[in-house]
């Protein structure tokens, strides 16, 4: 590893005032710079004009849906364009590159440098005791994997990770292979992302997904955006919020930071039409303390209860009595919660909480959106359940303009789950899989991401295969995870770009380069397309239109079939038939998963089709008692222990998770450095530091010492006692055992840390 110091290829940092508005002209300039710089002019135009177009490819950026009818020629955003350019870049790296650099040398480079080197174009193998990757043929690579998997005493000793860009077709095939091999060890990036949403929503409304459509944003009287930075991570969502405002709706932004897009938004398309107006999006910003959201939501609930008693606001009695359980307990828990506790834990004064409460009471239809600011806490599941409480009171689920909206990250992370990428599959799903393919799928639940790391660390799991993603950098407790991976006999990465997971390896290691979303995939002379599911449950097709980076690349389905053939030697399932035409995979999906009836014909509809969603479609809730559940959640103790501050790890404007596009964070006014700590001016003074000073950040609250060095202090508008650092640079500080209850998601948004001079 790099010893957790800022790497040597890091230029000097600068800080400017944070921006109030998002997108606009700087976004266009940045889009052009990234696309043309990486792809060239002609390829840039050809590529960008087909992103999210009917018949084009799904943007690999985020899972925000595309409008059904009125699509413009520019259905992409600055950050979507960066994601596309990053995949479609012209630079390539093959065995020559890897003969020049040893793995140890590459390990000293920054994530930014690694990603910049180009697309991976050849299968590569690192032999035991070697420090170099060398060229290997596809067949030999598959043979090594098959041999290793077949040498294990128990299929549960292998781990099969998935990141969220994988298509439905590849995901279905992968889990089918893994289960016919004999395990449910299918951890995925969702374990670190919206697992808390899935757990909280399943418990309360009987489905682990959101209940709104894009159109609902036109009809909402109030949209609450909690723990999310859409200006950077879901820029196209700002258009939906703009539409809410145009139709007279209001927006509340709940976030320790005043994130730019929510303060003001300038639509890049308006600039193309030369209209220079910007829209003020958020009507109210509640600068909540880190993990103060349960308290805040309880405060809003308490206000509504008070107004109800006064007769100035009424709950949706009808909905509550016919469709829900647990209302009385919820009400009495609000009565028993005192305001001091609410104000202290949320960090918001009563006047502001009541202002938000008044906006709730005046709104006929309410949507609550959220992302990682709610899910990545010890009580992440409770955060999600509190959003449901607030909505159920007013009957705000399954009505136009109302509902829950967990905003997904990776472009097909939701689809991957629907396809069975899950360590805790339902028995009914396994039964239909077994029946369709004539085998007995394993029933025992598998490892999720955190338990997979522990199993490798303990030496129990010996093979790691990653279908996409960057496991070592995305996971918590980097040193611990590195030790865990290094104990395996074989690590395999199916990837498009070079990342740190290729450098922290098992004794043997393979890199299998695959086609990306933007590229043409031809099988038996037929151009194939794949399908994906967006954040709102719409399944639609995606077809790449660029010449592949190399003729030596294979598609993800072909790689999975190649591994399956060598491992299972043709038992039960005809893998070659399945991949000979992706319609065959879709037919199998239709046979095994409900909601996919007539998949192959419905997928031809350019707008795709909606999957069934009982709460949204008919206010039906498939919980144990068939009703939506109110819940009582404790306000967590989010006081800092003496000498510690609470750290959240967040994304900059120039990254896609662990892929670093650049070193700036334009909206936050930070330039040229990712090794920074954003801190309140008063905390800086109190700790005796000065802005610009370098510090060591230490996470040892649980008794184990973890540290990162060379982080520069920057003054920022952030609540007292809270600090922010970037993911993945600060991941070494997140203890492996610091996870959300019930979802086991690393609690990487609230870690107690202390500082020392550097
Ligand atoms: N360009 C780009 N797009 C992306 C990604 C990317 O890296 N780059 N990543 C994709 C993925 S996988 C995901 S999951 C999403 C992530 O999308 P986001 O969740 O928006 O990403 P984060 O940067 O983790 O931002 C979390 C936000 O929560 C706030 N926050 C932190 N703690 C708290 C808290 O306790 N309470 C409240 N109310 N707020 C809090 C932070 O200030 C920050 O604004 O974006 C997806 N889209
Ligand atoms: N501290 C902290 N840690 C976090 C988070 C946080 O907020 N804070 N966020 C968490 C979240 S929300 C998530 S989703 C995870 C992300 O975890 P991952 O999904 O594991 O990580 P990514 O950075 O998205 O993966 C990027 C790599 O995927 C590969 N790739 C890209 N496109 C394709 C493709 O089409 N096919 C294949 N096979 N490979 C491809 C490339 O090689 C690239 O280097 O990180 C989590 N970790
Ligand atoms: Mo994510």
């Amino acid at each position: 590893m790099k010893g957790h110091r800022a790497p040597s290829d890091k230029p000097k940092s600068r800080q400017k005032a944070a921006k109030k508005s998002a997108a606009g002209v700087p976004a266009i300039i940045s889009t052009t710079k990234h696309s043309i710089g990486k792809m060239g002019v002609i390829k840039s135009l050809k590529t960008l004009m087909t992103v999210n177009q009917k018949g084009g490819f799904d943007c690999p950026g985020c899972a925000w849906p595309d409008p059904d009818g009125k699509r413009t020629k520019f259905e992409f955003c600055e950050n979507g364009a960066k994601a596309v350019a990053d995949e479609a870049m012209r630079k390539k790296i093959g065995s020559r590159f890897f003969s020049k650099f040893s793995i140890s040398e590459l390990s000293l480079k920054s994530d930014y440098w690694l990603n910049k080197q180009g697309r991976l174009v050849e299968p590569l193998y690192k032999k035991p005791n070697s420090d170099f990757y060398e060229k290997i043929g596809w067949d030999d690579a598959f043979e090594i994997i098959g041999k290793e998997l077949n040498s294990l005493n128990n299929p549960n000793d292998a781990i099969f990770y998935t990141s969220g860009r994988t298509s439905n077709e590849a995901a279905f095939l992968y889990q089918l292979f893994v289960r016919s091999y004999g395990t449910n060890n299918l951890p995925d990036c969702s374990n670190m992302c919206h697992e808390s949403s899935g757990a909280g929503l399943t418990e309360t409304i009987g489905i682990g997904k959101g209940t709104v459509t894009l159109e609902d944003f036109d009809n909402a009287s109030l949209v609450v955006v909690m723990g999310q930075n859409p200006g950077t991570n879901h820029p196209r969502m700002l258009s939906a919020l703009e539409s809410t405002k145009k139709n007279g709706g209001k927006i509340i932004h709940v976030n320790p930071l005043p994130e730019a897009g929510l303060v003001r938004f300038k639509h890049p398309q308006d600039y193309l039409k030369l209209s220079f107006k910007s829209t003020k999006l958020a009507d109210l910003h509640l600068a909540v303390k880190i993990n103060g959201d349960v308290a805040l939501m309880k405060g809003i609930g308490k206000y509504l209860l008070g107004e109800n008693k006064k007769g100035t606001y009424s709950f949706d009695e009808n909905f509550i009595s016919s469709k829900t359980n647990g209302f009385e307990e919820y009400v009495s828990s609000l009565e028993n919660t005192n305001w001091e506790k609410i104000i202290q834990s949320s960090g918001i004064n009563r006047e502001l909480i009541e202002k938000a409460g008044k906006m709730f009471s005046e709104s006929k239809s309410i949507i609550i959106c959220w992302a990682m600011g709610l899910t990545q806490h010890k009580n992440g599941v409770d955060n999600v359940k509190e959003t449901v409480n607030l909505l159920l009171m007013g009957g705000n689920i399954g009505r136009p303009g109302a509902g829950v909206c967990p905003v997904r990250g990776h472009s097909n992370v939701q689809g991957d789950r629907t396809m069975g990428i899950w360590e805790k599959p339902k028995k009914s799903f396994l039964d239909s899989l077994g029946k369709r393919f004539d085998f007995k799928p394993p029933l025992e639940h598998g490892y999720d991401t955190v338990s997979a790391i522990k199993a490798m660390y303990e030496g129990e799991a010996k093979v790691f295969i990653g279908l996409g993603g960057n496991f070592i950098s995305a996971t918590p407790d980097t040193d611990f995870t590195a030790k865990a991976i290094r104990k395996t006999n074989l690590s395999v990465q199916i990837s498009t770009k070079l990342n740190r997971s290729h450098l922290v390896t098992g004794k043997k290691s393979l890199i299998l380069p695959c086609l990306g979303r933007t590229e043409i995939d031809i099988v038996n002379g037929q151009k194939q397309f794949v399908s994906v599911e967006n954040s709102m449950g719409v399944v639609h097709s995606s077809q790449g239109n660029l010449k592949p980076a190399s003729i030596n690349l294979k598609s993800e389905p072909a790689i999975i079939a190649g591994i399956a053939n060598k491992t299972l030697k043709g038992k039960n399932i005809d893998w070659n038939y399945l991949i000979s035409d992706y319609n065959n995979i879709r037919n199998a999906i239709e046979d095994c998963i409900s909601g996919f009836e007539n998949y192959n014909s419905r997928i031809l509809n350019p707008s795709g089709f909606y999957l069934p969603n009982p709460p949204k479609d008919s206010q039906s809730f498939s919980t144990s008692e068939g009703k939506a559940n109110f819940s009582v959640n404790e306000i967590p103790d989010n006081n800092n222990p003496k000498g510690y501050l609470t750290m959240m790890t967040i994304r900059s404007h120039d990254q896609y998770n662990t892929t670093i596009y650049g070193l700036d964070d334009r909206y936050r006014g930070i330039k040229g450095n990712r090794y920074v700590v954003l801190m309140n001016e008063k905390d800086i003074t109190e700790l005796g530091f000065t802005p610009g000073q370098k510090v060591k950040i230490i996470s040892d609250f649980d008794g184990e010492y973890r540290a990162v060095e060379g982080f520069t202090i920057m003054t920022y508008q952030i609540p007292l006692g809270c600090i922010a650092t970037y993911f993945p640079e600060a991941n070494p500080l997140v203890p492996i055992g610091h996870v959300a209850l019930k979802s086991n998601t690393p609690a990487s948004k609230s870690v107690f840390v202390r500082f020392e001079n550097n």
Side-chain angles (χ1 to χ4, degrees), residues 229 233 255 259 291 293 371-372 377 651 655 657 749:
N229 178 18
N233 298 313
N255 199 308
E259 300 289 25
N291 206 13
D293 302 87
M372 297 305 100
H377 293 288
R651 292 159 170 78
Q655 75 184 86
N657 297 337
K749 292 284 189 275

Side-chain angles (χ1 to χ4, degrees), residues 87 161 163-165 189 192-193 372 376 410 467-471 474 494-497 499 514-517 556 649 651 656-659 727 731 734 748-749:
E87 178 176 302
Y161 175 72
S163 172
R165 269 194 196 171
C189 67
M192 296 177 270
C193 186
M372 297 305 100
Q376 296 174 335
H410 267 298
L467 180 56
N470 182 0
F471 194 80
I494 302 164
S495 322
T496 50
K497 301 287 294 285
N499 65 44
C514 66
L515 291 174
R517 190 71 71 76
E556 290 180 343
T649 54
R651 292 159 170 78
Y656 193 88
N657 297 337
T658 67
T659 300
F727 147 54
N731 282 36
V734 184
S748 43
K749 292 284 189 275

Side-chain angles (χ1 to χ4, degrees), residues 37 222 225 247 282 414 483 592 615 619 636 648 692 709:
L222 177 66
V225 182
N247 292 324
Q414 189 160 316
K483 279 187 197 139
C592 298
Q619 293 192 329
M648 56 178 178
E709 295 179 18

Side-chain angles (χ1 to χ4, degrees), residues 392-457:
L392 291 181
M393 282 199 278
N396 277 303
I397 290 197
R399 276 206 279 114
V404 281
C405 181
V407 183
R408 301 279 162 176
H410 267 298
S411 52
N412 197 39
V413 63
Q414 189 160 316
D416 291 348
R417 267 295 158 88
T418 309
M419 292 299 113
I421 302 285
W422 198 22
E423 73 283 357
K424 297 188 199 73
K426 284 206 179 121
K427 184 159 181 306
S428 54
F429 170 73
L430 295 177
D431 287 345
S432 51
L433 207 63
K435 204 166 137 213
R436 170 67 175 76
F437 290 98
D438 195 21
F439 77 108
K440 269 208 169 67
L443 296 175
E444 192 190 340
H445 286 173
Y447 296 128
D448 62 13
T449 295
V450 166
S451 55
I453 297 169
K454 290 182 178 164
M456 290 187 277
Y457 190 86

Side-chain angles (χ1 to χ4, degrees), residues 214-471:
L214 202 46
E215 260 189 348
D216 287 319
F217 283 80
D218 299 341
N219 304 318
S221 343
L222 177 66
V223 178
V224 187
V225 182
M226 302 190 73
Q228 197 199 341
N229 178 18
T232 284
N233 298 313
H234 304 90
R236 286 181 304 127
M237 178 177 170
L238 297 183
S239 309
L241 295 176
E242 195 185 27
S243 169
T244 305
K245 296 285 293 195
K246 279 193 179 143
N247 292 324
K250 297 237 158 74
I251 291 166
I252 302 179
H253 171 37
V254 182
N255 199 308
L257 307 179
E259 300 289 25
L262 285 151
V263 181
R264 291 200 89 80
F265 168 54
K266 299 178 195 171
H267 201 302
Q269 283 161 29
D270 287 344
Y271 277 91
L272 296 170
K273 287 187 253 147
L274 291 180
S275 141
F276 286 85
K277 282 194 301 273
S278 71
T279 315
K280 180 175 181 290
L281 286 182
D283 298 275
L284 180 64
H285 173 216
L286 299 174
V288 71
K289 258 167 58 175
I290 293 177
N291 206 13
D293 302 87
V294 167
L296 170 68
M297 287 188 273
K298 281 199 177 243
I300 294 173
K302 200 171 167 73
Y303 169 85
L304 293 174
L305 185 62
E307 293 300 296
N308 181 271
K309 281 190 185 148
K310 281 195 264 164
T312 52
Y313 168 76
S314 48
F315 295 124
D316 187 339
E317 306 278 358
N318 212 344
F319 179 86
I320 293 173
S321 62
S322 62
K323 303 277 183 191
T324 72
N325 267 339
F327 184 57
E328 282 82 31
E329 290 86 342
Y330 173 61
V331 165
S332 62
S333 87
L334 290 180
E335 279 166 346
N336 294 332
T337 310
N338 66 42
W339 276 106
E340 282 96 288
K341 192 155 185 198
I342 291 174
I343 293 161
Q344 185 276 324
S345 171
S346 66
I348 311 283
N349 65 43
R350 184 155 170 184
E351 201 187 334
L352 273 180
I353 298 179
E354 297 198 334
K355 196 169 171 189
K358 190 152 185 289
M359 287 167 77
F360 268 74
S361 73
E362 287 167 349
S363 301
K364 284 201 305 289
S365 50
I366 304 171
I367 297 175
I368 303 184
C369 308
W370 69 87
M372 297 305 100
L374 290 201
T375 62
Q376 296 174 335
H377 293 288
K378 195 157 180 205
N379 50 291
V381 176
D382 287 354
N383 278 337
V384 171
K385 286 161 71 182
E386 276 305 318
T387 68
V388 174
N389 282 339
L390 282 182
L391 292 173
L392 291 181
M393 282 199 278
N396 277 303
I397 290 197
R399 276 206 279 114
V404 281
C405 181
V407 183
R408 301 279 162 176
H410 267 298
S411 52
N412 197 39
V413 63
Q414 189 160 316
D416 291 348
R417 267 295 158 88
T418 309
M419 292 299 113
I421 302 285
W422 198 22
E423 73 283 357
K424 297 188 199 73
K426 284 206 179 121
K427 184 159 181 306
S428 54
F429 170 73
L430 295 177
D431 287 345
S432 51
L433 207 63
K435 204 166 137 213
R436 170 67 175 76
F437 290 98
D438 195 21
F439 77 108
K440 269 208 169 67
L443 296 175
E444 192 190 340
H445 286 173
Y447 296 128
D448 62 13
T449 295
V450 166
S451 55
I453 297 169
K454 290 182 178 164
M456 290 187 277
Y457 190 86
E458 297 302 329
E460 281 157 16
K462 299 181 185 73
V463 176
F464 175 92
I465 300 185
L467 180 56
N470 182 0
F471 194 80

